[in-house]
Amino acid sequence: MSRLTVPTSRAAPGAVPRAVPMPAPTAGRDLGRLGQTLAQVGTALEEERLGREFQRHQVDLARDLNGLRLEAEAIGDPDEAERYWQQGVERIRQSYTQPGEDGRPRVDPRNAEDFTLAFDSLANRHAYSLGRRTLELRYAERRANEMALGQEMTQLYAGGDADTRAVAQEQYFATVDANIEA
């Protein structure tokens, strides 16, 4: 058998290089956090802007509807006052919700639902107040007509024959009954 000679050395090869753990890159995560923060700030700024816009529209709306109600109350004819009110309310609503000269509505679409609720609430309160006023005007008009009819019937009653007086009395009482029913 022959011997095999294996060369050896007395030199120490040194430490074996070890794999140094490398931290995972965080640039993507950091960029994602920055994006989320910017989105939160942008959303907060937009909500704040929408809130301020809504408050301005509430002030403008209150002024517009107050002015319209005062104009309608100045009209002596209750039917005309109601027509004027209804047309004015629709005109004001459209001035806020329909596109203006710039092609966009005054109210941001994101505020549209809240604005509609506020508009309807305030318009209904004014309509109630105006309705009470027009009922008073109608009653006053009916009462004035009744009094004028009573005066005419009194003159007719004083100078007419029995049949004429009976018809006058019947007409007057029918008017009084209709007013009571109304």
Side-chain angles (χ1 to χ4, degrees):
M1 210 177 221
S2 64
R3 281 185 148 222
L4 182 60
T5 307
V6 177
T8 59
S9 167
R10 296 189 196 273
V16 175
R18 295 196 175 162
V20 177
M22 296 292 287
T26 61
R29 184 179 60 219
D30 294 342
L31 189 58
R33 285 183 189 156
L34 176 64
Q36 288 175 345
T37 302
L38 290 175
Q40 289 171 348
V41 168
T43 300
L45 287 173
E46 183 64 7
E47 287 176 3
E48 193 270 335
R49 182 193 69 77
L50 289 170
R52 284 183 293 114
E53 178 185 89
F54 183 73
Q55 288 175 344
R56 276 194 309 271
H57 289 319
Q58 282 183 310
V59 170
D60 293 344
L61 178 61
R63 183 186 61 244
D64 293 345
L65 288 176
N66 282 336
L68 178 64
R69 190 190 86 220
L70 292 174
E71 291 169 6
E73 285 180 348
I75 298 172
D77 178 10
D79 297 325
E80 181 60 31
E82 283 185 355
R83 263 192 304 282
Y84 184 81
W85 169 257
Q86 291 170 353
Q87 291 170 354
V89 165
E90 190 54 37
R91 186 182 68 248
I92 291 171
R93 181 188 306 273
Q94 288 179 358
S95 76
Y96 285 92
T97 58
Q98 298 299 314
E101 294 175 6
D102 61 355
R104 296 182 341 203
R106 283 170 64 184
V107 175
D108 191 290
R110 290 168 285 190
N111 273 340
E113 186 175 341
D114 291 338
F115 178 80
T116 299
L117 291 173
F119 183 93
D120 290 344
S121 175
L122 191 55
N124 288 339
R125 289 182 186 161
H126 283 294
Y128 175 77
S129 175
L130 182 63
R132 186 176 61 232
R133 169 99 167 98
T134 57
L135 285 175
E136 291 170 356
L137 287 174
R138 283 187 173 100
Y139 174 75
E141 187 176 339
R142 283 181 165 279
R143 188 70 179 117
N145 290 339
E146 178 186 317
M147 291 171 62
L149 180 63
Q151 184 178 7
E152 291 299 321
M153 293 301 175
T154 302
Q155 291 175 1
L156 182 70
Y157 200 80
D161 60 11
D163 289 336
T164 305
R165 284 187 282 212
V167 169
Q169 184 176 4
E170 183 180 320
Q171 287 178 351
Y172 180 73
F173 288 143
T175 300
V176 170
D177 290 343
N179 285 349
I180 290 172
E181 188 176 316

